[in-house]
Amino acid sequence: QAGEVYEPLEAIFEANPDMLFVVVTAPPLPAGQTTDAQADLAREWADWLVDTWQPAYEARNPNLNNVVVFDWFDFLARPASAGAGLRHRLKEEYTRSGSTVPNPAALLASTEFFATGTASEDSFLDLAVDAFPAIDFTMPDKFTAKLAKADLLGDKALDLDAAQPGDDLFVTVKVSENASNNEQFRVLIPATLPTRPEGQRDAGIRFVPTGLASASALTKSNPEEAPVQDFYGHDVLTTNVPLKIKDLSSLTATIDINGAAIAPMGLDISTNEKDAIRAQGSTGLGTEGTFTVSGASWTANTFQGDFLIDSQYESYEITGNTATALTLLSGEPRDGAWKIVQNPTFLEQVVVEFYNEANSADFDVATDLLPLSLDQRVSGVAIYRDNDFNPENRNGHFDVDIDIPLRLDGAPQLVGISGDAPQVKFAFSLPGTGFNGDDVSKLPRNRQWVPASWDGENAESDFFVVVRASEGMQTDDNFRMGIVSWGPSTPTEPDPYVFFRLTGPEREDYKKFQEFPWGNRGVGFITVYKDAPVQYFMDGNTPGVKEDSSGYNWVRTHTSQKKRSAIVTARKEPSGPTSVVINSASTTELPAQTLEANPFTFVIYGSGFGTKPEVILTGYDVTVNQATDTTISVTIQARADAPQPPIVLIVRNPVTGKEASRSNLFTLVNGTGDVAPVIVRVSPARAEKKNFPVTVIGEHFGAREDMAVRFGETLMPILSVNSAGTEISVGFPQGGFASVGPMDVTVRNESNGTDAIKIDAFDFVSQPDVGKLPGCGGPMGGGTGSSTGDVVLLAMVGAALGFGLRTRRARPQV
């Protein structure tokens, strides 16, 4: 009866005499996973296939010889002599803990026995093929393989009756994440292996019917590089910088309009070079052109040509060293942690793409995100470095107050071809290579050192691509981000910063220097060598080796990796007690320039600021003078590169982690701004009506008729302004104050439109401290800002007394 199960298969075997069929017996189960009776039955079945069924098939079909049985059970099983509990079970060396599946050692041994064979023995499959009748192996049309994709079929095997120019088969290589940067290797399929014993010299290409590969198989052909010379000018392949592009949008699936920055994508990079870091430490002292490590015992000039990485990942070329000090080409490194690295690789360029995900095309990089800015702290699209030197840093998480905004060669640029996905390009390649004639010792150090390992402090993303939504973004707008690199590298491509200096169409001239102009250097690297690297080459069929004699000590590359994020959707941040809201400012016009002797001061109004907010303003250095939860007094100084519109304001509450932005609050006006008044203090700072007049003390006060003073919202009568312009005397307002307690003091010069505000500078007390009235809960007017209850009670008492007096005066007339 057992043979009946195979009768349908035998009919197929007989109908296809030109095909070799291999029947494989099932592997045995491990000890403890089956009984003796079941294991004996499994052995019996395998033996029946080998000893009974296959001979019977061959007897019925003596001319076919197209069926063999691979007894995998027998190959993996213990013999009957192993005894009860062990016989016919999986061999101990092939068991996998907690599983019935054979372990990798079993699979490796089985593959060698079945398919590859050894140097001394042919494989099971080789023997089966050798015994197979010599027949025409021309592939019938019905066996042409098909490749299905998107419901479209294409031939995998080409038309055998037509000429097929070019290569038909390709050998591809994909390295693991453990490969090191700039490793070199050669891929070839030799015709013969002459060092092997006779009879074993046939190499990697085998034909059926049998035949030898031609000698030209030794010649390497690179069809994708055919228009130009082989990469690097030699035939070996060089590994690129290992890179993992991370989709972080699962942590930030929404973006708040006018809210906090988010990081939908990250770059995890490592050179995997174990000898890259030559020395490192946690304490060092930086001065101009020198870095000193107390207690070091270095050999003189052993680090010449290496680079110092300081505590903010800025790199400095080392020109020499003593036992304890490094001499640097230029710059003043920061104190603290440090590393000395050799042959460093730097990240110097990133291109990010944006994809609109809505049918209505409702996402626009230019309007839905904050403006692109050189200051990455306010830019709508920005790039940050994970600050592994900070003990509070979280690896793989964007920490806006800890991670480092990169310094760029120029503001991020919108690039790409019209109709393509919008692309934002970042370049941070300075000081460059000197390729363009620039003196690298006089340029900033923007390029970013790539870590030498994946783990430890370098675990997870090393760089974050950050986005910030503007007030122009609408609820439910959504988008994806992507990073895509393609095309061959151009090792001596000019420095990216050169093209960031240009305007207009000239910015695209970098394409003229690329290996292929259609390529995209989405993630760009540069490796700087201390000594000339060794290169391998083929001179005909003879391999050779030589030092790189190009004269360049650097090589530019880029990865061919790509990835996009999941969808990020805009929302209006839910309003709550900790929400940061920017409502307005005391001025809407900011000077394009400021003088050190004439800083510009104004006040920001809103809510949720806290008492120690962080304030960032495009193009200005900002000092927070005073802050409450609803007001922030700031003084700004324009930076040397001059502010450019639009001006973006960001206020962040570091306690709650909330922040808000505005890009439509300020306009820029030419000039340095007129001299503005300055409030130092009010004397007395706390007073009642009888203490007036009160003096406002400060600087740059104008003539009496040009000045206006407000305590809170109340316009104060100005009695005088001293000749030095440092004191203003104000009287008690005719209508009194609308409220009691602390209030802001504003001084405005009406002649030039400038003003100064000091928050909570004056405290008005409604009544003197005269003790408690009967029934009162505390002293009347005794504290700063007497309680509203006391004021109301006094008013009621006054009204009652007045009513009583009026009643007594009226009685005689009754």
Side-chain angles (χ1 to χ4, degrees), residues 505-521:
E506 291 81 8
R507 284 181 174 176
E508 301 296 312
D509 282 352
Y510 70 91
K511 294 181 178 179
K512 299 177 181 178
F513 299 91
Q514 290 184 334
E515 196 79 13
F516 290 154
W518 45 260
N520 185 40
R521 195 164 177 250

PDB file of all heavy atoms in Angstrom, residues 505-521:
ATOM      1  N   PRO A 505      22.007  79.495 -10.753  1.00  0.00           N
ATOM      2  CA  PRO A 505      22.261  78.196 -11.404  1.00  0.00           C
ATOM      3  C   PRO A 505      23.672  77.665 -11.165  1.00  0.00           C
ATOM      4  O   PRO A 505      23.907  76.470 -11.302  1.00  0.00           O
ATOM      5  CB  PRO A 505      22.024  78.509 -12.891  1.00  0.00           C
ATOM      6  CG  PRO A 505      21.181  79.739 -12.900  1.00  0.00           C
ATOM      7  CD  PRO A 505      21.583  80.528 -11.704  1.00  0.00           C
ATOM      8  N   GLU A 506      24.627  78.561 -10.826  1.00  0.00           N
ATOM      9  CA  GLU A 506      26.009  78.112 -10.630  1.00  0.00           C
ATOM     10  C   GLU A 506      26.121  77.116  -9.481  1.00  0.00           C
ATOM     11  O   GLU A 506      27.091  76.349  -9.423  1.00  0.00           O
ATOM     12  CB  GLU A 506      26.920  79.312 -10.353  1.00  0.00           C
ATOM     13  CG  GLU A 506      27.125  80.224 -11.542  1.00  0.00           C
ATOM     14  CD  GLU A 506      25.962  81.192 -11.726  1.00  0.00           C
ATOM     15  OE1 GLU A 506      25.075  81.229 -10.828  1.00  0.00           O
ATOM     16  OE2 GLU A 506      25.930  81.884 -12.753  1.00  0.00           O
ATOM     17  N   ARG A 507      25.144  77.107  -8.585  1.00  0.00           N
ATOM     18  CA  ARG A 507      25.192  76.148  -7.480  1.00  0.00           C
ATOM     19  C   ARG A 507      25.175  74.707  -7.986  1.00  0.00           C
ATOM     20  O   ARG A 507      25.652  73.802  -7.307  1.00  0.00           O
ATOM     21  CB  ARG A 507      23.986  76.355  -6.556  1.00  0.00           C
ATOM     22  CG  ARG A 507      24.091  77.565  -5.648  1.00  0.00           C
ATOM     23  CD  ARG A 507      22.869  77.667  -4.777  1.00  0.00           C
ATOM     24  NE  ARG A 507      22.996  78.735  -3.792  1.00  0.00           N
ATOM     25  CZ  ARG A 507      22.042  79.096  -2.951  1.00  0.00           C
ATOM     26  NH1 ARG A 507      20.881  78.449  -2.988  1.00  0.00           N
ATOM     27  NH2 ARG A 507      22.226  80.062  -2.085  1.00  0.00           N
ATOM     28  N   GLU A 508      24.601  74.494  -9.171  1.00  0.00           N
ATOM     29  CA  GLU A 508      24.494  73.150  -9.714  1.00  0.00           C
ATOM     30  C   GLU A 508      25.770  72.701 -10.429  1.00  0.00           C
ATOM     31  O   GLU A 508      25.826  71.589 -10.950  1.00  0.00           O
ATOM     32  CB  GLU A 508      23.314  73.081 -10.697  1.00  0.00           C
ATOM     33  CG  GLU A 508      21.968  73.435 -10.077  1.00  0.00           C
ATOM     34  CD  GLU A 508      21.549  72.453  -9.005  1.00  0.00           C
ATOM     35  OE1 GLU A 508      21.620  71.237  -9.247  1.00  0.00           O
ATOM     36  OE2 GLU A 508      21.174  72.908  -7.911  1.00  0.00           O
ATOM     37  N   ASP A 509      26.800  73.552 -10.434  1.00  0.00           N
ATOM     38  CA  ASP A 509      28.021  73.207 -11.161  1.00  0.00           C
ATOM     39  C   ASP A 509      28.762  72.038 -10.541  1.00  0.00           C
ATOM     40  O   ASP A 509      29.652  71.467 -11.185  1.00  0.00           O
ATOM     41  CB  ASP A 509      28.955  74.418 -11.222  1.00  0.00           C
ATOM     42  CG  ASP A 509      28.530  75.423 -12.283  1.00  0.00           C
ATOM     43  OD1 ASP A 509      27.608  75.104 -13.053  1.00  0.00           O
ATOM     44  OD2 ASP A 509      29.119  76.521 -12.335  1.00  0.00           O
ATOM     45  N   TYR A 510      28.421  71.670  -9.308  1.00  0.00           N
ATOM     46  CA  TYR A 510      29.096  70.523  -8.697  1.00  0.00           C
ATOM     47  C   TYR A 510      28.872  69.253  -9.532  1.00  0.00           C
ATOM     48  O   TYR A 510      29.699  68.333  -9.518  1.00  0.00           O
ATOM     49  CB  TYR A 510      28.602  70.310  -7.270  1.00  0.00           C
ATOM     50  CG  TYR A 510      27.192  69.812  -7.142  1.00  0.00           C
ATOM     51  CD1 TYR A 510      26.909  68.449  -7.096  1.00  0.00           C
ATOM     52  CD2 TYR A 510      26.115  70.700  -7.059  1.00  0.00           C
ATOM     53  CE1 TYR A 510      25.606  67.984  -6.992  1.00  0.00           C
ATOM     54  CE2 TYR A 510      24.818  70.248  -6.957  1.00  0.00           C
ATOM     55  CZ  TYR A 510      24.571  68.900  -6.919  1.00  0.00           C
ATOM     56  OH  TYR A 510      23.279  68.434  -6.819  1.00  0.00           O
ATOM     57  N   LYS A 511      27.767  69.206 -10.272  1.00  0.00           N
ATOM     58  CA  LYS A 511      27.469  68.016 -11.076  1.00  0.00           C
ATOM     59  C   LYS A 511      28.514  67.810 -12.187  1.00  0.00           C
ATOM     60  O   LYS A 511      28.719  66.688 -12.651  1.00  0.00           O
ATOM     61  CB  LYS A 511      26.076  68.132 -11.681  1.00  0.00           C
ATOM     62  CG  LYS A 511      24.953  68.120 -10.646  1.00  0.00           C
ATOM     63  CD  LYS A 511      23.594  68.208 -11.307  1.00  0.00           C
ATOM     64  CE  LYS A 511      22.478  68.155 -10.281  1.00  0.00           C
ATOM     65  NZ  LYS A 511      21.142  68.263 -10.897  1.00  0.00           N
ATOM     66  N   LYS A 512      29.154  68.898 -12.605  1.00  0.00           N
ATOM     67  CA  LYS A 512      30.149  68.779 -13.666  1.00  0.00           C
ATOM     68  C   LYS A 512      31.367  67.987 -13.204  1.00  0.00           C
ATOM     69  O   LYS A 512      32.135  67.490 -14.028  1.00  0.00           O
ATOM     70  CB  LYS A 512      30.591  70.170 -14.121  1.00  0.00           C
ATOM     71  CG  LYS A 512      29.466  71.023 -14.701  1.00  0.00           C
ATOM     72  CD  LYS A 512      29.963  72.409 -15.052  1.00  0.00           C
ATOM     73  CE  LYS A 512      28.837  73.281 -15.608  1.00  0.00           C
ATOM     74  NZ  LYS A 512      29.311  74.658 -15.906  1.00  0.00           N
ATOM     75  N   PHE A 513      31.556  67.903 -11.899  1.00  0.00           N
ATOM     76  CA  PHE A 513      32.741  67.241 -11.362  1.00  0.00           C
ATOM     77  C   PHE A 513      32.440  65.832 -10.860  1.00  0.00           C
ATOM     78  O   PHE A 513      33.338  65.134 -10.418  1.00  0.00           O
ATOM     79  CB  PHE A 513      33.323  68.075 -10.211  1.00  0.00           C
ATOM     80  CG  PHE A 513      33.759  69.439 -10.634  1.00  0.00           C
ATOM     81  CD1 PHE A 513      32.884  70.517 -10.562  1.00  0.00           C
ATOM     82  CD2 PHE A 513      35.040  69.651 -11.114  1.00  0.00           C
ATOM     83  CE1 PHE A 513      33.284  71.792 -10.953  1.00  0.00           C
ATOM     84  CE2 PHE A 513      35.447  70.918 -11.510  1.00  0.00           C
ATOM     85  CZ  PHE A 513      34.566  71.991 -11.438  1.00  0.00           C
ATOM     86  N   GLN A 514      31.183  65.417 -10.924  1.00  0.00           N
ATOM     87  CA  GLN A 514      30.833  64.082 -10.468  1.00  0.00           C
ATOM     88  C   GLN A 514      31.115  63.052 -11.553  1.00  0.00           C
ATOM     89  O   GLN A 514      31.123  63.368 -12.744  1.00  0.00           O
ATOM     90  CB  GLN A 514      29.352  64.015 -10.063  1.00  0.00           C
ATOM     91  CG  GLN A 514      29.034  64.789  -8.797  1.00  0.00           C
ATOM     92  CD  GLN A 514      27.594  64.615  -8.372  1.00  0.00           C
ATOM     93  OE1 GLN A 514      26.720  64.336  -9.184  1.00  0.00           O
ATOM     94  NE2 GLN A 514      27.339  64.781  -7.090  1.00  0.00           N
ATOM     95  N   GLU A 515      31.348  61.817 -11.117  1.00  0.00           N
ATOM     96  CA  GLU A 515      31.597  60.736 -12.070  1.00  0.00           C
ATOM     97  C   GLU A 515      30.449  60.647 -13.078  1.00  0.00           C
ATOM     98  O   GLU A 515      30.670  60.591 -14.278  1.00  0.00           O
ATOM     99  CB  GLU A 515      31.744  59.423 -11.308  1.00  0.00           C
ATOM    100  CG  GLU A 515      32.359  58.320 -12.115  1.00  0.00           C
ATOM    101  CD  GLU A 515      33.875  58.434 -12.215  1.00  0.00           C
ATOM    102  OE1 GLU A 515      34.480  59.223 -11.467  1.00  0.00           O
ATOM    103  OE2 GLU A 515      34.441  57.751 -13.058  1.00  0.00           O
ATOM    104  N   PHE A 516      29.237  60.639 -12.574  1.00  0.00           N
ATOM    105  CA  PHE A 516      28.046  60.701 -13.419  1.00  0.00           C
ATOM    106  C   PHE A 516      27.182  61.864 -12.912  1.00  0.00           C
ATOM    107  O   PHE A 516      26.780  61.873 -11.747  1.00  0.00           O
ATOM    108  CB  PHE A 516      27.237  59.403 -13.360  1.00  0.00           C
ATOM    109  CG  PHE A 516      27.913  58.236 -14.020  1.00  0.00           C
ATOM    110  CD1 PHE A 516      27.628  56.942 -13.636  1.00  0.00           C
ATOM    111  CD2 PHE A 516      28.845  58.434 -15.031  1.00  0.00           C
ATOM    112  CE1 PHE A 516      28.245  55.863 -14.239  1.00  0.00           C
ATOM    113  CE2 PHE A 516      29.472  57.362 -15.643  1.00  0.00           C
ATOM    114  CZ  PHE A 516      29.174  56.072 -15.250  1.00  0.00           C
ATOM    115  N   PRO A 517      26.854  62.851 -13.751  1.00  0.00           N
ATOM    116  CA  PRO A 517      26.090  64.012 -13.283  1.00  0.00           C
ATOM    117  C   PRO A 517      24.710  63.668 -12.744  1.00  0.00           C
ATOM    118  O   PRO A 517      24.131  64.448 -11.997  1.00  0.00           O
ATOM    119  CB  PRO A 517      25.993  64.896 -14.543  1.00  0.00           C
ATOM    120  CG  PRO A 517      27.147  64.477 -15.390  1.00  0.00           C
ATOM    121  CD  PRO A 517      27.308  63.010 -15.137  1.00  0.00           C
ATOM    122  N   TRP A 518      24.174  62.508 -13.134  1.00  0.00           N
ATOM    123  CA  TRP A 518      22.835  62.154 -12.661  1.00  0.00           C
ATOM    124  C   TRP A 518      22.881  61.538 -11.266  1.00  0.00           C
ATOM    125  O   TRP A 518      21.843  61.242 -10.686  1.00  0.00           O
ATOM    126  CB  TRP A 518      22.165  61.184 -13.630  1.00  0.00           C
ATOM    127  CG  TRP A 518      23.032  60.061 -14.099  1.00  0.00           C
ATOM    128  CD1 TRP A 518      23.686  59.975 -15.288  1.00  0.00           C
ATOM    129  CD2 TRP A 518      23.367  58.866 -13.391  1.00  0.00           C
ATOM    130  NE1 TRP A 518      24.413  58.814 -15.372  1.00  0.00           N
ATOM    131  CE2 TRP A 518      24.228  58.113 -14.223  1.00  0.00           C
ATOM    132  CE3 TRP A 518      23.040  58.356 -12.143  1.00  0.00           C
ATOM    133  CZ2 TRP A 518      24.767  56.885 -13.846  1.00  0.00           C
ATOM    134  CZ3 TRP A 518      23.566  57.125 -11.769  1.00  0.00           C
ATOM    135  CH2 TRP A 518      24.422  56.403 -12.609  1.00  0.00           C
ATOM    136  N   GLY A 519      24.060  61.297 -10.728  1.00  0.00           N
ATOM    137  CA  GLY A 519      24.161  60.702  -9.394  1.00  0.00           C
ATOM    138  C   GLY A 519      23.732  61.671  -8.306  1.00  0.00           C
ATOM    139  O   GLY A 519      23.553  62.866  -8.539  1.00  0.00           O
ATOM    140  N   ASN A 520      23.580  61.160  -7.122  1.00  0.00           N
ATOM    141  CA  ASN A 520      23.186  61.988  -5.978  1.00  0.00           C
ATOM    142  C   ASN A 520      23.992  61.563  -4.764  1.00  0.00           C
ATOM    143  O   ASN A 520      23.900  60.426  -4.315  1.00  0.00           O
ATOM    144  CB  ASN A 520      21.693  61.840  -5.676  1.00  0.00           C
ATOM    145  CG  ASN A 520      21.245  62.791  -4.582  1.00  0.00           C
ATOM    146  OD1 ASN A 520      21.680  63.939  -4.541  1.00  0.00           O
ATOM    147  ND2 ASN A 520      20.381  62.324  -3.704  1.00  0.00           N
ATOM    148  N   ARG A 521      24.788  62.473  -4.268  1.00  0.00           N
ATOM    149  CA  ARG A 521      25.633  62.201  -3.098  1.00  0.00           C
ATOM    150  C   ARG A 521      24.812  62.482  -1.843  1.00  0.00           C
ATOM    151  O   ARG A 521      25.030  63.437  -1.118  1.00  0.00           O
ATOM    152  CB  ARG A 521      26.888  63.070  -3.165  1.00  0.00           C
ATOM    153  CG  ARG A 521      28.008  62.652  -2.248  1.00  0.00           C
ATOM    154  CD  ARG A 521      29.321  63.318  -2.680  1.00  0.00           C
ATOM    155  NE  ARG A 521      30.387  62.972  -1.777  1.00  0.00           N
ATOM    156  CZ  ARG A 521      30.961  63.828  -0.926  1.00  0.00           C
ATOM    157  NH1 ARG A 521      30.555  65.085  -0.890  1.00  0.00           N
ATOM    158  NH2 ARG A 521      31.931  63.444  -0.132  1.00  0.00           N
TER     159      ARG A 521
END
